[in-house]
Amino acid sequence: MTEAHVEGQQHPLGVYIKVWAWLFVLSAFSYMVDYYDVQGYLRWTLILIFMILKAGLIIAIFMHMAWERLALVYAVGVPVLAVLVFTFLMTHEADYTFDTRGTFFVESAP
Amino acid sequence: MSESTPGAIMRPDGVEGVIADWSSDQRAFKKVPWGKAMMWIFLLSDTFIFGCFLLSYMTVRMSTTVPWPPVSDIFALSLGGEPIPLILIAIMTFVLITSSGTMVLAVNYGYRRDRAKTVLYLIITAIFGATFVGMQAFEWTKLIMDGVRPWGNPFGAAQFGSSFFMITGFHGFHVSVGVLFLILIARKVWKGEFDNETRGFFTSQKGRYEIVETLGLYWHFVDLVWVFIFAFFYLW
């Protein structure tokens, strides 16, 4: 049995510094979305894009996922998809609750 | 289990046997130390916890008929002039990202066997983490003074308070635990326990610099969760 690698992951510092800088820039962009009061679908699209980019950079580079074997990537990545299914279910449930409340609980205008 | 002779393998019985059988030379995750693989599994379970928190927040926000409080204005702060929307949260985000960067450096110098620099960057990371928790405490104080409670608030939908305290509270707890472990591991590195492969008092495994990377995984995860909280709770 080959022993776990002793050296660990060695990557040039330059990659980390670049990613670090990008995380700052992307965070600044997300903050700008709020600062300049972007509204509507553009707001949500921008927030999601910046969020996914930041999350991707952190997982891939800072957490070394880009250099791990696929077995580990799948073991951690695939179960997370269940959260997306759950999200889909709950959006419908929330819409239903909202409609029900609209029908039964909101007082009629005086 | 090293005494296995061909044909007749001696295996323990009872509970000890259960443990021995389940842990016998089977490795799914090659080239990854066990501690790192287990940290990933833990982080996966933690993902589900935070996923469920954010999902329940989404559900209550979508289903309430009362307008959601103006988040951007609630977290505004005036730095000697006009109130700047969400500025405190923006600073907290930058503090946490900075700490993630210093953590990466700590892991890197750890693998290079540079003890002094590893300790230095671990401590810097811990300081940034503690700063983050401090700012969160300030934020909580401010909101509680403003009358935000888990069961209601003067700004709008009552669900705002419960979501806020639950999500940021749990995240802040994670950061606090992270700071604690950063200090503990920094102490171990400083004492040279990873160079001498001193056995830990709890797991009795040899001390290795991989532990710094495993701790780094946890710390980056905390930063990762904040990315989602920042997007969904504060910006949405």
Side-chain angles (χ1 to χ4, degrees):
Chain A
M1 188 183 82
T2 49
E3 191 44 65
H5 60 167
V6 190
E7 313 310 337
Q9 299 220 3
Q10 282 278 24
H11 306 290
L13 278 177
V15 184
Y16 295 129
I17 305 288
K18 261 179 222 153
V19 169
W20 201 0
W22 268 111
L23 287 175
F24 268 102
V25 172
L26 288 169
S27 298
F29 281 167
S30 339
Y31 178 62
M32 287 300 153
V33 172
D34 186 74
Y35 191 79
Y36 291 111
D37 206 25
V38 181
Q39 290 299 340
Y41 284 108
L42 182 62
R43 180 190 186 90
W44 299 325
T45 316
L46 287 176
I47 291 173
L48 285 181
I49 289 173
F50 295 143
M51 181 192 82
I52 291 166
L53 285 176
K54 274 169 73 178
L57 282 176
I58 293 174
I59 295 170
I61 310 297
F62 278 11
M63 297 172 97
H64 294 156
M65 226 15 161
W67 297 289
E68 299 294 358
R69 288 183 62 79
L70 216 49
L72 182 65
V73 178
Y74 282 175
V76 175
V78 175
V80 174
L81 297 179
V83 176
L84 295 181
V85 177
F86 201 1
T87 311
F88 171 76
L89 295 177
M90 290 319 284
T91 48
H92 286 270
E93 179 66 20
D95 278 341
Y96 167 74
T97 311
F98 182 78
D99 290 344
T100 315
R101 282 174 175 166
T103 308
F104 292 107
F105 291 141
V106 174
E107 301 136 77
S108 47
Chain B
M1 264 108 333
S2 53
E3 72 283 357
S4 62
T5 46
I9 302 167
M10 292 296 289
R11 299 204 65 87
D13 291 320
V15 180
E16 210 183 316
V18 174
I19 297 165
D21 288 0
W22 276 91
S23 57
S24 53
D25 288 351
Q26 290 150 29
R27 286 187 62 165
F29 304 123
K30 307 332 191 243
K31 295 171 74 179
V32 174
W34 68 272
K36 193 169 152 183
M38 288 304 110
M39 180 52 89
W40 268 115
I41 304 282
F42 166 72
L43 293 183
L44 178 63
S45 71
D46 232 13
T47 307
F48 287 132
I49 290 181
F50 279 106
C52 288
F53 281 164
L54 285 170
L55 262 169
S56 54
Y57 151 70
M58 178 196 81
T59 309
V60 296
R61 183 163 173 176
M62 280 178 76
S63 61
T64 178
T65 47
V66 183
W68 198 253
V71 180
S72 186
D73 299 333
I74 290 176
F75 297 105
L77 202 67
S78 72
L79 303 169
E82 283 284 287
I84 309 166
L86 220 60
I87 188 68
L88 182 67
I89 311 303
I91 297 170
M92 283 165 77
T93 306
F94 286 122
V95 166
L96 213 53
I97 287 177
T98 311
S99 79
S100 244
T102 52
M103 187 71 224
V104 162
L105 295 179
V107 173
N108 207 271
Y109 285 118
Y111 279 138
R112 292 175 194 204
R113 297 281 188 276
D114 193 332
R115 239 177 67 215
K117 274 191 177 153
T118 309
V119 172
L120 175 73
Y121 282 111
L122 281 174
I123 294 296
I124 293 175
T125 310
I127 290 171
F128 276 118
T131 310
F132 179 89
V133 176
M135 292 171 86
Q136 196 158 52
F138 172 79
E139 187 196 355
W140 272 49
T141 313
K142 188 168 158 281
L143 256 72
I144 292 169
M145 300 275 225
D146 288 347
V148 177
R149 298 287 183 275
W151 52 86
N153 65 79
F155 308 110
Q159 290 89 337
F160 171 77
S162 47
S163 303
F164 171 78
F165 288 121
M166 192 73 186
I167 294 173
T168 64
F170 220 77
H171 179 262
F173 174 68
H174 273 75
V175 180
S176 308
V177 171
V179 169
L180 204 67
F181 271 92
L182 280 167
I183 295 167
L184 282 175
I185 300 298
R187 183 170 164 273
K188 275 175 174 285
V189 177
W190 182 247
K191 287 172 73 183
E193 291 189 12
F194 295 160
D195 298 284
N196 309 331
E197 301 197 330
T198 312
R199 288 184 183 276
F201 84 99
F202 188 62
T203 58
S204 64
Q205 299 285 319
K206 281 178 186 167
R208 287 177 180 168
Y209 274 100
E210 282 148 7
I211 292 171
V212 182
E213 191 191 354
T214 308
L215 176 67
L217 281 182
Y218 176 82
W219 192 257
H220 295 312
F221 176 78
V222 168
D223 187 19
L224 186 66
V225 170
W226 184 254
V227 169
F228 288 91
I229 295 175
F230 183 57
F232 289 133
F233 193 84
Y234 292 103
L235 290 176
W236 204 259

